Amino acid sequence: MAEETTEEADDKLVRIVLIEDHADFRESVSMVLQQRGRYECVGEFSNMEDALEEFRGGLETDLVLSDLGLPGMSGIDGIRHIREILPLVQILVLTAFTDKAKVFAALEAGAHGYLVKAGSATRLISTLEEVLAGGTPLDPKIAGMILQTFRQISPVTDGEALSEREREVLQLSAKGLTRQEVAERLGISQYTVTDYIKRSFEKLHVRNLPSAVSEAIRRGFLDLS
């Protein structure tokens, strides 16, 4: 029995909390996750307030999958509160909203990825994998919208301009590659990749990768087309 317990610990399921007010869609996503065998829904909520109450009460999770248009507290405000309670948890937005204000607000609040509901189950799973691996996936519709909306380049000093290598690292990270994969692609160490990302944060005046990507696109440093 002890050996079985050890094997179970090695194959630990990824714990997911789902926050979605539409019951049918929530059930559908939950079913997709359970069918994959790797994921376990440890909490399903129709509003952010109930989810936050459970988090404060000790509910643990590896990843939060949340809509933005929720009754009561919005998903964006909820993301900020989740980051305060569980600073290390991964947060993926799954919503129908594609307008620039909500996209940037969600990323700046601390979301690690943004996926539009119209995507397939396969796309959902691949996006979850990217987030869990340390990537920052953006739905193709969102990436295209960001590119078209923020073509204007803000004036920057030489000290704030990203170097060619810093742009390369952010470009690959925005496409969902992990730091190890970026390192392998560019032929540098993972520690060097981390250093480039930190420098980008300083130059762009941001504190996380999603915000760095969105700010770099806004300033014209990145092109995700």
Side-chain angles (χ1 to χ4, degrees), residues 4-146:
E4 291 179 2
T5 302
T6 301
E7 289 178 2
E8 290 175 0
D10 291 339
D11 298 328
K12 184 178 178 182
L13 296 175
V14 175
R15 300 165 299 180
I16 292 182
V17 164
L18 180 58
I19 308 173
E20 164 64 52
D21 61 319
H22 291 93
D24 291 342
F25 187 75
R26 188 171 65 243
E27 183 178 347
S28 147
V29 171
S30 178
M31 188 177 300
V32 167
L33 295 174
Q34 291 176 9
Q35 288 175 345
R36 291 308 186 277
R38 186 192 171 192
Y39 305 99
E40 176 186 14
C41 284
V42 295
E44 298 181 26
F45 304 95
S46 61
N47 60 74
M48 186 60 70
E49 288 87 345
D50 288 346
L52 292 174
E53 183 178 352
E54 290 299 315
F55 288 141
R56 293 189 182 103
L59 177 62
E60 296 183 351
T61 186
D62 302 302
L63 186 145
V64 174
L65 190 57
S66 179
D67 192 2
L68 295 184
L70 297 167
M73 182 184 295
S74 72
I76 292 171
D77 288 337
I79 288 172
R80 295 191 182 95
H81 287 295
I82 293 172
R83 302 293 302 157
E84 293 173 357
I85 302 169
L86 301 170
L88 299 181
V89 76
Q90 304 289 314
I91 303 174
L92 174 63
V93 170
L94 178 60
T95 187
F97 292 116
T98 58
D99 60 281
K100 65 179 183 294
K102 285 188 170 59
V103 172
F104 276 91
L107 295 176
E108 289 170 1
H112 296 84
Y114 200 107
L115 186 62
V116 176
K117 284 182 177 179
S120 66
T122 300
R123 175 63 182 168
L124 169 61
I125 296 301
S126 65
T127 302
L128 286 176
E129 294 296 330
E130 290 177 31
V131 170
L132 292 168
T136 311
L138 294 176
D139 191 285
K141 295 179 182 179
I142 297 302
M145 179 276 297
I146 292 174

